[in-house]
Each structure stands twice: as C-alpha cells, then as structure tokens.
Amino acid sequence: MKSPPWPKGKKLVHLDLKGAPPRVEYLHKLIELFSQLGVDGLLLEYEDMFPYEGELRLLQATAQPAYSREEVLSVQELARSKGMEVIPLVQTFGHMEFVLKHRAMSGLREMAHCVGTLNPHREEGVRLVMEMLRQVVELHPGLNTLHIGADEVYMLGEGEESKLWLAAPGRTVEQLFLSHVTKVARAIKEAWPHMTIVMWDDMMRSMSPDTLKASGLVGLVQPMLWDYTPNLTVDKTVSLLEKYHSAGMSELWAASSFKGSTSVYTCVPSTQRHVENHLQWLKVAASLSAGIHLKGIAITGWQRYDHLSVLCELIPVALPSLAACLQTLLHGQFSAEVQSKVAEKLGVSSVEVEVMERISAADPRFPGRRLAEVIVELNAVLNTDDIRFFENNMFVRGWFSPYQRQRRTVTPLITMQIHSQASEYLTILQQKVEAVREEMVQLYPDSTVQEWIEEHVIPVMAPLQRITEDITACVKEMVP
C-alpha cells in the first residue's frame, strides 16, 4: 500500500567513521553518488578519525591515520557544492568508548568497567566534551547544527558519585541524565548561540512530559527518534513523537537505517529488510498531528555497534540498500517501478546485492561495485555448509577424529582424500580473499582490510589449515 512520500525535511545519510573509514577519495565519490540519489545532508560521526589536537591528540586512531584537517575540509566543501548540509555527531555522554578507553581518561568513567559512559558529576568531564566540540566546530566553518549523541548511556546511576547524588530525596536517574545533557546543551548555546542541537531520544522514551519540561531541556535540543527494525510499531512511534511534542519539543527528527543494524557481525545486508523499515517510517510521518515539525530523517549506516565491537557491512555492499531506501522515501512505496529506477540509477540488475548483476562492464554510477561483488562471492563460499562444517563431515569424524589424530591411528588413503578436499577449499578461499583484498585496499586503509579478513575469513580457514597440517604430520609417520 502506498504512503505519501516523505514530508518536507532533510534526508541525511549517516556516515559512521569509527570503523572501516573510507579513503577520502572514496568519500568524495560517495558524496557525488549521494547527490544523484537526492541526499540533502551528511551526518558525520568521526570518533577517532577526527584530527584532534593538543591534549586531545591521544583520541586519534592508531590503527590508521585520522583524516587530516585538509581532508575534513575537502569533504565539507564538496558536500556544500552539492547542496548538502554537513552535521557532525559528537558523543557527549554515552558511547564515549573511543575517549574513555584511554587510561589517561579512565577517571572520567561512570563505572571503572564501563568504558562508554561519562561520569556526569565531574566538571572536567564537561570541559572535555566542550573541548571536543570546540575543535569540531572550529573545523566546520559556517556550521549550524550539532548532534550530541547521548544514546545508550549504560550503567548511569551505578557509580559511587551517582549513588550519593541519587540518595537525596526525589532524585532519579532520569533527572541525572537530563541534568548532564542540559548542562552540555546550555554550554553549547553559550558558546555558539545560533547552533541547533540534535540528540538521540532513547534515554527519554520512558520519561513523562512533565519530567522533560522540568529539566530545562525543552527549547534547547531537537530529539531524533531512532528505530531501525523492519517491523517498527507505527502507533507506538507516533505516540512517542506526540509525547515529545506535548512536552514542548515540536521540532523532531527520525532515524532509519540502510545498514549496520541487522546483527553486530552482518557482512552483506538485506535491502528488503531496510526498505521495510522505511515503509514503516512513511506510515509514521503520515500519522503525525499537524503541530509536529519533522525536520528530517537520518538514514543511518552503522559501521560498528560501538567503538569496540566488530565491523558491520561495508558501505559498497550497502549502496543498493541506501538507494532503495531513498527512492522509497521519495515515492512513498517500493513498487516494481521504483525498484527498476534504483537498479537503473546504480547500473545493476537488482537492488538485492546478493543477486545483482552488472548491466555494463564499466559504470561509474556505483563506486565500489567491484568490491561489493567480490565480497558477496566470498561470503557465499564462506557460508557453504561443506566448508563451514567441514570438521563435522562423515569422513573427518569417522577417520580423522581428535582421538585418532592424537594417537596417529589413521587410514592414510582416506585421510589423504580429506586432505585433498580441504586443500581444494583453501585454494578457492585464498583466491576469493585475494580478489577482495585487491579491491578493498583501493577504498579503505590497510588496517580495515586486515581486520575484515581476520574477522570474516580466518575463523573459517583456520580449521581447514589445521586439518591439512595434522594429516601431513600423521601420514609422514605412517607411510615410509
């Protein structure tokens, strides 16, 4: 069933740079593509890829160099030339892992073992956050909007200082959260009075309108309600947005997802899953009361669930998903005609990356397409039962079990057949891996290539390699 197209408001693409940060040349190609797809702005989450200076220099990535000041400026310049707004996202409360993981910053944690949450009672914590923001704002000339994060503030209220604070009559964890965010928002407004402040909404979902009103946060921030699920509950989401509106927050944002929200280790996204999320968001937008001003939607593309988790899907394999989601918003549906438009825009036969075929050999409309293709090919091989469960096949379990290996009581004839099959699979995998490596190094730093291979390929190849080595050792002892 068709919904009205996405109402007036910006369509932002979120680039999560805390994992697999694209080389700046590839970022430029992506911005060109986003412009053709109808994107109005970028939500840039730099984390440790920002070129922090002075006392914050330790926050810069060590696995690969952070972007240079010139590169950060070049991305903005190109985006602006395409009519896109750039909005930096700087975490200021939760998901501070990239800051608080450092021993020098560990005293600012809410709990010693929780490296994500900032202690809200320390003035130096607010000073740290404001210095991070100052450096980011300074490197974004003409900036009008800041996203201050503030989602998933785990373990809040569990620290000793928080427990003392909460011991006073009438104080709650909700108030503790709101007091810190309000303090940060006021400091931002004092430093940059013109600045629009956006924040994630999840920590406020259970709060009453009266609690929100009493916090002093109303009028300072614009909540961004995020839900990435294909079965997003429309009524519940509408009632949440209406609640924020009733508290006096009439300017609101939505956040959907084109990748990085299926599972923490997904390698290849399902376009249909993400399209369904956007179809639900269209229903939400169509159901809101007239007084709510939906400023726009951020189409998120998470690269990690948090700074210390594994890599999610890389951007190239998710570009068909992004294009499909944008066209769904523009048309209010994902009909066969819309699917055909997406495929034509990208120069492919299908929006599902696992079955897409190229229409032409050389097509600049899909930057990174060759990498997407070889990742899909490798992923298909990695997930075949014959390879993934090789150690459980009848011959390995029957003639080369751990018991037999340990005692060298093996049948050379059968074990050599096992060796031959394992070696064949290893050769296929190595060929596919080299094809992926060759394409990936052109778009990503070497550290990303190495991490991706170690996460996705080595765990599958290692058992095959062990078996071939063990068979060689056993047979050498048994055959003169």
Side-chain angles (χ1 to χ4, degrees), residues 465-476:
Q465 288 169 328
R466 277 197 303 271
I467 281 176
T468 57
E469 289 164 5
D470 287 353
I471 288 174
T472 301
C474 286
V475 170
K476 188 182 278 187

Side-chain angles (χ1 to χ4, degrees), residues 101-156:
K101 72 178 184 181
H102 296 284
R103 185 174 291 277
M105 301 288 188
S106 61
L108 295 176
R109 299 174 190 169
E110 169 73 341
M111 296 284 285
H113 62 278
C114 178
V115 297
T117 298
L118 189 71
N119 181 332
H121 307 281
R122 304 277 180 87
E123 279 306 314
E124 55 263 50
V126 175
R127 281 199 298 273
L128 166 70
V129 162
M130 288 306 297
E131 177 58 18
M132 289 164 59
L133 291 170
R134 185 195 66 75
Q135 292 195 25
V136 169
V137 172
E138 184 267 328
L139 201 52
H140 290 74
L143 187 66
N144 295 311
T145 306
L146 261 177
H147 196 308
I148 61 168
D151 59 317
E152 298 181 331
V153 188
Y154 300 129
M155 307 298 292
L156 184 60

Side-chain angles (χ1 to χ4, degrees), residues 297-330:
I297 185 167
I299 308 171
T300 63
W302 300 100
Q303 196 52 73
R304 300 187 194 276
Y305 274 31
D306 65 44
H307 179 77
L308 298 168
S309 64
V310 299
L311 292 172
C312 302
E313 313 96 301
L314 297 178
I315 290 173
V317 289
L319 288 178
S321 170
L322 174 61
C325 293
L326 282 161
Q327 289 296 309
T328 300
L329 293 177
L330 289 168

Side-chain angles (χ1 to χ4, degrees), residues 60-129:
Q60 289 191 27
T62 53
Q64 67 278 320
Y67 293 121
S68 69
R69 294 175 68 83
E70 293 72 26
E71 287 173 334
V72 171
L73 289 168
S74 76
V75 166
Q76 294 171 68
E77 188 179 338
L78 180 58
R80 274 198 302 270
S81 75
K82 302 294 180 184
M84 291 185 215
E85 181 180 7
V86 173
I87 301 173
L89 192 164
V90 182
Q91 288 287 2
T92 57
F93 204 175
H95 282 303
M96 294 274 287
E97 292 93 352
F98 86 102
V99 178
L100 299 177
K101 72 178 184 181
H102 296 284
R103 185 174 291 277
M105 301 288 188
S106 61
L108 295 176
R109 299 174 190 169
E110 169 73 341
M111 296 284 285
H113 62 278
C114 178
V115 297
T117 298
L118 189 71
N119 181 332
H121 307 281
R122 304 277 180 87
E123 279 306 314
E124 55 263 50
V126 175
R127 281 199 298 273
L128 166 70
V129 162

Side-chain angles (χ1 to χ4, degrees), residues 1-4 275 279 282 324 327-335 337-338:
M1 181 178 160
K2 190 177 188 295
S3 295
V275 164
L279 291 171
L282 285 167
Q327 289 296 309
T328 300
L329 293 177
L330 289 168
H331 293 275
Q333 61 179 338
F334 194 56
S335 61
E337 184 185 351
V338 174

Side-chain angles (χ1 to χ4, degrees), residues 215-276:
S215 69
L217 199 56
V218 175
L220 287 175
V221 301
Q222 298 174 356
M224 181 178 274
L225 197 160
W226 58 273
D227 193 320
Y228 312 141
T229 55
N231 57 351
L232 177 160
T233 309
V234 174
D235 292 346
K236 185 178 172 185
T237 307
V238 168
S239 66
L240 260 176
L241 289 165
E242 298 281 2
K243 179 186 79 172
Y244 296 141
H245 178 237
S246 71
M249 297 169 158
S250 57
E251 295 189 309
L252 300 161
W253 293 78
S256 56
S257 172
F258 75 95
K259 79 174 195 78
S261 58
T262 302
S263 77
V264 71
Y265 49 78
T266 300
C267 182
V268 176
S270 158
T271 294
Q272 187 59 40
R273 173 189 172 88
H274 295 291
V275 164
E276 284 168 10

